């Protein structure tokens, strides 16, 4: 994880950002948000609740520094959604730059008609997919990956091998769903190996020769894949896109990088799931004993478990670059500033989630929470179109884990801030114990 290449940091000294911000605000009727001129990212690494406490002190819109740039933090889903909607043209998502590989760049940063065109194609392809038809092969991928880890670890606590196993499971799940290759196909292992070259330890933000070569190899492999025969196999996203019309270089490139970013996000989610499964074995027992198919009006236990993990840890923030000056709720937000919509903090609102730091999947067994309370996959038109699939994949992994194993984990230390996300501590190690047949 530590060798993951992070996005470049601005070289502008903080005091220049301060001076520019004050000069610009002087020409506006509004003033900069309240808050100290401190490096919020550094403080947050030492105390995860730092931004929550600052919101209590200064209000739901406050400022500081992040990556040597002025950052304005906004707390509250409704507030964040209004800001993103009212100023959509003034904000740009902070994400990887792919223009050197993909003609129109990454879809998350597209605007206007270009974004609508490619997003429409993607959403139509995802809507056409029958994810349930993939469940048997998804189960096979999870079962094989877990069994291989159990065999290699020999029942001993293992940290890095567990992370590697989860990475392999996440990669194969997404490659199967997006590209169609599955266990037994040589293409699945070939694609998995090439993806490991694209980003060996995480998403590489600074595209280099290695990424270019791996990307070109992935593109060639996908172009060479034969479409599935629907009567024999469930149809993957790539085949649905091809059936709808030509898959140009931009659409194919975005599909490649959706797998690349998704496999690390999914690995992180699976790691958090394993941590909570070890800490709450009674929930693993309940999931193992649950009959197939949830009662009408009730969410499956595994999905409720996944949603609570998303609320507690995996959903963190939305980052935007301010392209034009904004006045929001009486606050001046200058051009060039970073905007952070605080998702993790909003999901700890006691009014929305009593005992907000307690692990209680039963919160999600009933009706779907309102978007004003719970939005783990985004707030605006850049809302992740893979949200439902992600929940299904994670819940499927959890069901296999619960059905086949009991899990122990060492190192109950607090979470740590990794290069991109908060993660279980580096020494978090897992033991899998085969679940007795009588307990299944």
């Amino acid at each position: 994880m530590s060798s993951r290449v992070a996005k470049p940091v601005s070289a502008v000294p903080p005091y220049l950002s301060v001076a520019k911000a004050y000069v610009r605000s002087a020409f506006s009727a509004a003033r900069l948000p309240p808050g100290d001129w401190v490096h919020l990212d550094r403080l947050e690494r030492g105390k995860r609740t730092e931004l929550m406490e600052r919101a209590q002190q200064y209000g739901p819109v406050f400022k500081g520094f992040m990556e040597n740039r002025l950052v304005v933090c906004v707390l509250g889903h409704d507030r964040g959604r209004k800001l993103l909607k009212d100023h959509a043209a003034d904000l740009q998502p902070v994400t990887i730059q792919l223009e050197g590989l993909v003609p129109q760049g990454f879809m998350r940063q597209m605007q206007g008609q270009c974004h609508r065109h490619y997003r429409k194609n993607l959403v139509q392809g995802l809507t056409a997919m029958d994810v349930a038809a993939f469940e048997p092969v998804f189960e096979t991928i999870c079962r094989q990956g877990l069994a291989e880890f159990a065999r290699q670890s020999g029942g001993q606590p293992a940290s890095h091998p567990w992370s590697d196993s989860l990475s392999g499971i996440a990669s194969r799940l997404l490659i199967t769903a997006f590209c169609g290759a599955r266990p037994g196909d040589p293409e699945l292992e070939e694609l998995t190996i090439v993806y490991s070259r694209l980003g060996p330890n995480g998403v590489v933000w600074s595209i280099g020769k290695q990424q270019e070569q791996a990307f070109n190899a992935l593109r060639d492999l996908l172009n060479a894949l034969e479409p599935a025969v629907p009567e024999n196999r469930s149809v993957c996203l790539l085949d649905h896109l091809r059936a709808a019309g030509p898959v140009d270089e931009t659409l194919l490139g975005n599909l490649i990088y959706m797998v690349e970013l998704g496999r690390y996000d999914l690995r992180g989610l699976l790691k958090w799931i394993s941590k909570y499964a070890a800490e709450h074995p009674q929930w693993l027992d309940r999931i193992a004993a649950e009959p197939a198919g949830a009662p009408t009006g009730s969410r499956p236990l595994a999905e409720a478990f996944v949603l609570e993990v998303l609320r507690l840890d995996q959903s963190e923030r939305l980052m935007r670059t301010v392209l034009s000056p904004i006045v929001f709720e009486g606050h001046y937000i200058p051009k060039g500033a970073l905007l952070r919509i605080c998702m993790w903090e909003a999901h700890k609102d006691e009014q929305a989630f009593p005992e907000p730091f307690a692990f209680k999947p039963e919160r999600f067994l009933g009706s779907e929470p309102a978007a004003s309370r719970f939005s783990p996959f985004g707030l605006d038109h850049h809302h992740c179109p893979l949200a439902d699939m992600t929940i299904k994949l994670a819940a499927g992994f959890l069901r296999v884990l619960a059905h086949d194993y009991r899990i122990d984990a060492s190192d109950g230390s607090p979470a740590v801030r990794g290069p991109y996300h908060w993660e279980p501590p580096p020494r978090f190690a897992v033991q899998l114990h085969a679940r007795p047949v009588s307990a299944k």
Side-chain angles (χ1 to χ4, degrees):
M1 300 288 284
S2 60
S3 60
R4 196 185 293 184
V5 179
K7 53 188 176 183
V9 175
S10 170
V12 178
Y15 64 85
L16 289 181
S17 298
V18 173
K20 289 181 179 180
Y22 275 117
V23 169
R24 290 169 180 168
S25 67
F27 293 93
S28 171
R31 291 295 176 260
L32 293 172
D36 298 333
W37 291 109
V38 294
H39 283 276
L40 296 178
D41 48 348
R42 297 176 188 173
L43 293 174
E44 184 193 18
R45 288 177 185 275
K47 189 176 185 182
R48 198 174 186 184
T49 58
E50 179 69 33
L51 300 188
M52 293 178 63
E53 295 174 11
R54 288 186 172 267
Q56 293 173 356
Q57 180 180 359
Y58 296 112
V61 182
F62 59 94
K63 69 177 182 299
F65 284 122
M66 188 172 292
E67 298 173 5
N68 273 347
R69 294 167 65 183
L70 166 66
V71 61
V72 174
C73 297
V74 176
L75 187 60
H77 284 349
D78 285 343
R79 182 174 290 105
R81 185 175 286 107
K82 177 174 173 55
L83 175 56
L84 294 173
K85 179 181 178 182
D86 292 351
H87 298 280
D90 303 317
L91 302 170
Q92 184 179 59
V94 177
T95 191
I96 190 169
Q97 302 291 327
L98 295 180
E99 284 76 5
L101 300 176
V102 181
Q104 299 295 329
F106 199 23
M107 188 171 66
R108 288 192 62 205
Q109 283 199 320
M110 293 178 185
Q111 299 290 332
Q113 181 58 36
C114 184
H115 179 265
R116 288 190 289 273
H117 169 72
Y118 286 106
R119 183 180 173 84
K120 179 181 177 182
N121 286 350
L122 176 64
V123 170
Q124 287 179 341
L126 288 169
T127 302
M129 283 185 68
D130 181 4
V131 177
F134 280 90
E135 287 182 0
V137 70
F138 289 159
E139 181 178 314
T140 297
I141 290 171
C142 294
R143 184 158 281 121
Q144 289 179 347
L146 291 172
E148 180 65 13
F149 169 81
R151 184 187 67 79
Q152 290 185 350
S153 63
Q156 299 300 311
S159 177
H160 293 302
W162 179 241
S163 185
D164 291 344
S165 294
L166 295 182
S167 181
I169 290 171
S171 297
R172 290 175 175 85
L173 287 172
L174 290 172
I175 290 170
T176 295
F178 279 55
C179 311
R182 58 192 64 202
D185 294 348
E187 294 87 355
L188 177 59
E189 294 313 307
E190 191 170 6
L191 285 165
T192 302
I193 291 169
V194 179
Y195 262 111
S196 71
R197 296 205 299 267
L198 185 62
N201 300 295
V203 179
V204 178
W205 282 68
S206 300
I207 302 298
K209 191 68 175 178
Q210 178 176 324
Q211 284 67 50
E212 182 180 352
Q213 291 174 346
F215 176 86
N216 290 337
L218 289 168
R219 181 196 58 203
D220 294 343
L221 285 169
L222 293 183
N223 281 327
L225 281 178
E226 293 292 332
V229 179
E231 292 77 9
N232 300 331
R233 310 181 91 169
S234 45
V235 182
C236 68
L237 175 59
L238 178 58
D239 286 348
H240 280 296
L241 294 176
R242 285 170 169 165
V247 176
D248 63 17
E249 291 295 306
T250 294
L251 189 55
L252 185 63
N254 270 271
L255 185 145
I256 289 171
Y257 259 89
M258 288 173 68
V259 174
E260 174 66 356
L261 272 67
R263 67 196 188 104
Y264 290 108
D265 286 343
L266 183 56
R267 179 185 70 176
L269 178 56
L270 299 185
K271 198 168 186 178
W272 280 116
I273 286 171
S274 64
K275 180 178 186 295
Y276 284 107
E279 293 175 353
H280 302 274
Q282 72 279 11
W283 270 95
L284 216 59
D285 294 341
R286 289 179 63 183
I287 292 168
E290 184 180 36
T296 302
S298 178
R299 190 188 309 276
L301 294 174
E303 288 190 17
F305 190 108
V306 169
L307 291 175
E308 179 70 341
V309 172
L310 286 166
R311 185 192 71 82
L312 277 171
D313 281 300
Q314 185 76 0
S315 176
E316 295 177 2
R317 60 194 177 275
L318 296 178
M319 298 297 297
R320 300 289 186 267
T321 296
V322 181
L323 303 178
S324 301
I326 292 171
V327 176
F328 179 72
E329 294 190 354
H331 303 297
Y332 178 80
I333 306 176
K335 176 182 177 180
L338 285 174
L339 179 68
R340 173 170 174 162
I341 310 295
C342 301
M343 310 289 286
W344 183 86
E345 291 80 4
H347 287 151
K348 308 304 178 294
D349 181 357
E350 291 184 345
Q351 300 302 314
F353 300 102
E355 299 181 76
F357 292 97
F359 180 75
K360 301 179 70 173
E362 57 267 27
R363 304 177 200 271
F364 295 99
L365 289 177
S367 60
E368 185 77 25
S372 60
R373 298 171 56 218
F374 184 63
S375 295
F377 293 98
L379 296 173
D380 63 351
H381 66 292
H382 290 279
H383 179 277
C384 179
L386 301 177
D388 290 340
M389 181 183 291
T390 299
I391 294 170
K392 297 292 185 186
L393 291 175
F397 165 84
L398 178 57
R399 278 191 288 268
V400 173
L401 177 66
H403 187 267
D404 290 359
Y405 299 97
R406 300 187 188 278
I407 180 172
D408 291 327
S410 61
D411 196 340
S413 303
V416 297
R417 176 68 184 275
Y420 298 109
H421 300 289
W422 285 86
E423 305 167 355
R427 290 181 295 177
F428 172 73
V430 162
Q431 288 176 280
L432 295 183
H433 309 283
R435 185 179 288 271
V437 175
S438 60
K440 296 182 180 181

